[in-house]
Amino acid sequence: MSKIYPTLTTDYSLFTSRSSIVFSHQISDMSINVEMYQQIKQELAAKQVTLVAVSKTKPVADIEVLYALGQRDFGENYVQELVDKQAQLPPDIHWHFIGHLQSNKVKYIAPFVHLIHGVDSLKLLKEIDKQAVKNNRIIHCLLQVHIASEETKFGMDENELTEAIQQLNLFPNVKVCGLMGMASFSDDENKLRTEFNTLHTLLQKSAISHQPSAILSMGMSGDYKMAIEEGSTMVRIGSLLFGARVYQ
């Protein structure tokens, strides 16, 4: 049974009332950078870029603050944490799974996940399709491409990407909507731009780009502006909104 956290309120009708005195009081106790959130949302809206608020390791109460401000797209890295949070929060949240997903854990998020970002193998595509059939739904996914210099990051190379795209017809309950990539952890702007541009070019060359509103998910708190300049349509931002993470 999921633990019920002490949260802002369990009456989600109150979340649309930003002028609530109670809500304003409780927001002041949270770690959310509301001013930064509003600034980023305005910036991204002007460029038609989707913000995924990365809430991994953060409490439900923090997510509720951004929900009350209108945020609906949230990203999680760990299956159990995502399942627990999804059970406690409003049903209209779009849950993005942005971590490395093991095939044996797909079944736990298949009933509700909005978008799986890190699909890096045909084996994983096959399992997602299998679980989508069981849940009588189409699961939207992004194919993850390895663009960074670090070998510790996951993703397909160009040949594997081409092979996966050629076999998408084998997975009728999976809709691949675009590509995702993680740039190197580096201060070298030229290096980062080259990696982002590589992913953008791969998307443009692929059949995926022919569909309306193809997604290019790249860019995080430290490099999202650069990623957008290189073609990103979806950014994953955590620490700028929620503050630094403390891992146990």
Side-chain angles (χ1 to χ4, degrees), residues 127-140:
E127 182 61 24
I128 293 170
D129 184 69
K130 174 183 173 182
Q131 297 301 327
V133 171
K134 288 184 177 180
N135 286 276
N136 193 30
R137 63 182 301 236
I138 304 294
I139 296 181
H140 292 203

Side-chain angles (χ1 to χ4, degrees), residues 46-246:
K47 299 176 180 179
Q48 297 183 308
V49 174
T50 300
L51 169 63
V52 177
V54 180
S55 49
K56 65 177 182 179
T57 78
K58 295 300 180 179
V60 166
D62 282 6
I63 298 174
E64 289 175 330
V65 173
L66 287 189
Y67 180 92
L69 294 172
Q71 180 66 21
R72 292 295 180 270
D73 291 274
F74 291 90
E76 293 286 339
N77 285 57
Y78 310 111
V79 168
Q80 187 58 57
E81 185 178 356
L82 172 53
V83 170
D84 288 346
K85 288 176 176 176
Q86 187 272 338
Q88 300 176 60
L89 287 159
D92 62 334
I93 286 180
H94 294 163
W95 291 107
H96 297 245
F97 190 82
I98 61 174
H100 179 62
L101 182 59
Q102 296 175 300
S103 295
N104 64 349
K105 294 187 177 180
V106 174
K107 60 187 175 185
Y108 299 113
I109 64 172
F112 64 85
V113 69
H114 177 72
L115 183 64
I116 298 175
H117 287 232
V119 179
D120 58 2
S121 69
L122 285 168
K123 176 185 176 184
L124 183 55
L125 270 175
K126 182 178 180 180
E127 182 61 24
I128 293 170
D129 184 69
K130 174 183 173 182
Q131 297 301 327
V133 171
K134 288 184 177 180
N135 286 276
N136 193 30
R137 63 182 301 236
I138 304 294
I139 296 181
H140 292 203
C141 299
L142 304 178
L143 299 180
Q144 183 174 2
V145 182
H146 188 277
I147 58 172
S149 56
E150 299 100 335
E151 291 300 322
T152 53
K153 290 193 168 86
F154 296 96
M156 304 177 183
D157 61 27
E158 185 171 356
N159 291 333
E160 291 168 332
L161 175 65
T162 299
E163 181 184 2
I165 291 173
Q166 290 173 344
Q167 297 191 47
L168 290 182
N169 62 316
L170 300 177
F171 313 111
N173 281 65
V174 170
K175 179 174 177 57
V176 172
C177 307
L179 303 181
M180 180 271 238
M182 296 177 64
S184 298
F185 185 72
S186 171
D187 294 325
D188 185 339
E189 180 175 332
N190 290 331
K191 178 182 181 64
L192 296 177
R193 286 191 181 277
T194 298
E195 292 171 356
F196 287 141
N197 182 261
T198 295
L199 189 59
H200 188 204
T201 300
L202 286 173
L203 177 63
Q204 290 180 314
K205 287 167 53 178
S206 74
I208 301 171
S209 67
H210 300 158
Q211 60 183 281
S213 303
I215 296 171
L216 188 58
S217 173
M218 60 184 193
M220 300 186 289
S221 289
D223 56 22
Y224 78 92
K225 292 178 183 287
M226 201 184 309
I228 292 171
E229 291 171 358
E230 297 300 330
S232 176
T233 64
M234 179 176 286
V235 294
R236 311 177 301 273
I237 298 179
S239 58
L240 285 179
L241 306 177
F242 293 98
R245 289 180 174 80
V246 178

